[in-house]
Amino acid sequence: MKQALLRVGGKPTERFQQRSKRLTLEEYLKYDDRTDSQYELVAGELVAMPPESPKNVQISLFLLVNFLKFVPVNRLSNKVEIVVAGSRATTRIPDLVVLTDELATALEGAMRSTITLDMPPPALVVEVVSPGKANEDRDYRYKRSEYAARGIAEYWIVDPQINAVTVLILVDGFYEETRFTGNIAIASTIFPELQLTAEQVLNAGESNISNTQTISVPE
C-alpha cells in the first residue's frame, strides 16, 4: 500500500501548523481535517495515504470477489482500520481484510470501522505492495511484525514488482512464509478450498476478460 508522510516541520500546510506533538489513539480517532484525505497513525504521527494505483485496486477487488465465494459480504472489508500497537499508537488500513464471525459481531453498530485492541484480530489481511523501498519495507518488515503481534492468523503480501504472492501463517506468535509465483496454486489455511494461482492474482483475472460481457454506457 502506497503512503506518504505528512511534514509537520519545515513548511507545513495551514491545517497542521498547530500540531507538533504526537497524537494519542483517542486524538487520532477524533481527528478531522474536513477533507476526504485518509490517514494511518504510525507511532503517533499522521501518515497520509495517496490513492492506490489502478493495478493495486484491481488486484484487491479480484481477491474480494474470490473470497466472497467462501464468506458473506459482512466478513470482508477494504476500508476497516486495525489498531496494532498501544504504547505508541499505530493503526493500519490494509487493502483487504477478512473478519472472523466474532469480530464482525463486535463491529456491528460501530460508528467507525476501527478494530481496537480489545476486539478479536481479523482472520486474514492482504497488502498489495506499491513501488519504492519505503513501501516495500512497510509491508514486508513493519507490518509483518505488527500483524503478528496483533495475532492475525494469515497475512498476504501481493507484490506486482516481483510477481509474487507471499503468504505468512502465524505459528507460535511468528509468521512462517511461503512465496508463490507463476502457476503455483496459493495455499491458504483460512481458505483451504481456494483455487487461485499467483499469476491469476497478479493479473487480477485479466485473462478472463475476453469471456466477459462488455458493458456499454449510453451517451
Side-chain angles (χ1 to χ4, degrees):
M1 179 181 291
K2 179 169 59 180
Q3 302 171 348
L5 184 62
L6 282 169
R7 295 181 61 85
V8 175
K11 296 181 179 180
T13 57
E14 182 178 352
R15 66 178 183 271
F16 288 101
Q17 288 178 353
Q18 302 300 319
R19 188 171 299 284
S20 58
K21 69 181 183 68
R22 294 178 185 272
L23 300 179
T24 65
L25 178 62
E26 291 72 20
E27 289 172 330
Y28 164 73
L29 293 177
K30 295 177 181 177
Y31 179 75
D32 183 5
D33 63 2
R34 299 183 181 180
T35 72
D36 293 330
S37 299
Q38 190 174 37
Y39 304 100
E40 287 185 337
L41 187 67
V42 180
E45 295 185 358
L46 284 173
V47 176
M49 301 175 63
E52 293 286 348
S53 69
K55 177 70 172 179
N56 284 19
V57 172
Q58 192 174 353
I59 289 172
S60 298
L61 289 176
F62 176 75
L63 285 173
L64 185 149
V65 168
N66 279 275
F67 289 171
L68 278 172
K69 298 174 183 178
F70 305 98
V71 294
V73 68
N74 71 326
R75 290 271 307 278
L76 294 171
S77 177
N78 58 359
K79 295 293 184 181
V80 72
E81 63 183 343
I82 306 169
V83 180
V84 294
S87 58
R88 298 182 67 184
T90 297
T91 65
R92 297 297 188 183
I93 306 177
D95 291 298
L96 185 60
V97 177
V98 180
L99 312 176
T100 62
D101 287 334
E102 186 180 5
L103 179 53
T105 299
L107 285 170
E108 286 180 0
M111 298 297 293
R112 178 175 177 138
S113 294
T114 302
I115 300 171
T116 55
L117 291 174
D118 60 341
M119 293 181 181
L124 184 154
V125 296
V126 177
E127 298 284 5
V128 184
V129 185
S130 295
K133 180 67 162 56
N135 293 310
E136 179 182 330
D137 286 345
R138 186 177 296 111
D139 290 339
Y140 280 98
R141 295 178 57 193
Y142 306 130
K143 291 182 181 179
R144 176 178 180 142
S145 60
E146 291 165 354
Y147 291 159
R150 190 63 180 82
I152 298 172
E154 190 164 314
Y155 172 30
W156 289 28
I157 305 174
V158 182
D159 195 338
Q161 283 65 244
I162 62 172
N163 292 316
V165 177
T166 303
V167 175
L168 300 102
I169 307 297
L170 193 65
V171 179
D172 296 329
F174 297 93
Y175 280 130
E176 295 183 356
E177 69 174 70
T178 305
R179 179 165 290 182
F180 301 91
T181 59
N183 290 318
I184 299 176
I186 296 170
S188 168
T189 58
I190 303 300
F191 297 117
E193 297 180 1
L194 184 70
Q195 296 183 348
L196 285 179
T197 67
E199 184 176 22
Q200 286 174 314
V201 172
L202 291 158
N203 291 332
E206 289 181 358
S207 60
N208 296 326
I209 290 179
S210 60
N211 297 324
T212 61
Q213 182 178 358
T214 300
I215 299 176
S216 58
V217 179
E219 298 181 358

